[in-house]
Amino acid sequence: MSLRIAFELDDDDLAHFRLIMTAARENLSRRAPEDIIAAANDVLDKIRRPDVPGFIGTRLERLERMIQMISDLDWRMPHDDTQRVLNALAYFAEPDDLIPDQIPGLGFLDDAIMVELVVRELEHEISAYQDFCDYRDTLKKSDVSALAARRDELLARMQEQRQRARQENDPAGQFRLLD
């Protein structure tokens, strides 16, 4: 038997997570991108345990996808877009997060919430990257120019969709964690 528990984050809750993300981003400036990626991978390794709660395990793929997005040499996002993803990963590179990871059953709850928040902000990036991966899987290995053209097309789409969503959904920028 499973039990579904839902909760809503109000403006104060979101502001709290925004403060935490801002602090993580400030620490990001002192760390190399490869260190941030390595730290996020370490979080994934810690979470990949047989006793991890299911609600945490389902978020692993999303965090892993963000890491792949900036590590994939074929994808090569522009610097500003890569920085947005690194900003998202900055939280997971912090050893002292909101709920200590050692607390059984709940230690990764804050990580799961943050994954949900940043995935929401990176939806266009993640979608474009998934389309790119799907396209790459159908190509012959020798068709590098077609892959590059598709990448450029998807990156342009990603930026356009993100800009449109910002104007429609959050013109004041008050709910953004990553910019």
Side-chain angles (χ1 to χ4, degrees), residues 162-176:
R162 184 176 61 231
Q163 193 64 21
R164 190 174 339 119
R166 280 181 179 163
Q167 291 169 348
E168 292 171 2
N169 300 327
D170 186 18
Q174 60 190 12
F175 293 113
R176 292 190 207 129

Side-chain angles (χ1 to χ4, degrees), residues 130-148:
Q130 184 61 53
D131 288 351
F132 175 79
C133 290
D134 292 345
Y135 182 76
R136 178 174 51 193
D137 290 346
T138 65
L139 273 183
K140 294 183 170 114
K141 298 284 183 198
S142 61
D143 203 350
V144 176
S145 63
L147 186 61

Side-chain angles (χ1 to χ4, degrees), residues 79-137:
H79 175 75
D80 289 346
D81 296 320
T82 299
Q83 195 62 44
R84 283 174 48 79
V85 179
L86 282 171
N87 287 345
L89 294 176
Y91 177 82
F92 305 101
E94 285 298 309
D96 300 322
D97 54 10
L98 188 60
I99 302 172
D101 295 341
Q102 301 86 327
I103 297 176
L106 295 177
F108 294 109
L109 178 60
D110 60 321
D111 299 290
I113 292 169
M114 192 60 83
V115 167
E116 290 300 318
L117 291 172
V118 298
V119 162
R120 185 172 148 192
E121 283 197 48
L122 294 172
E123 70 179 311
H124 303 298
E125 289 87 343
I126 293 169
S127 173
Y129 181 63
Q130 184 61 53
D131 288 351
F132 175 79
C133 290
D134 292 345
Y135 182 76
R136 178 174 51 193
D137 290 346

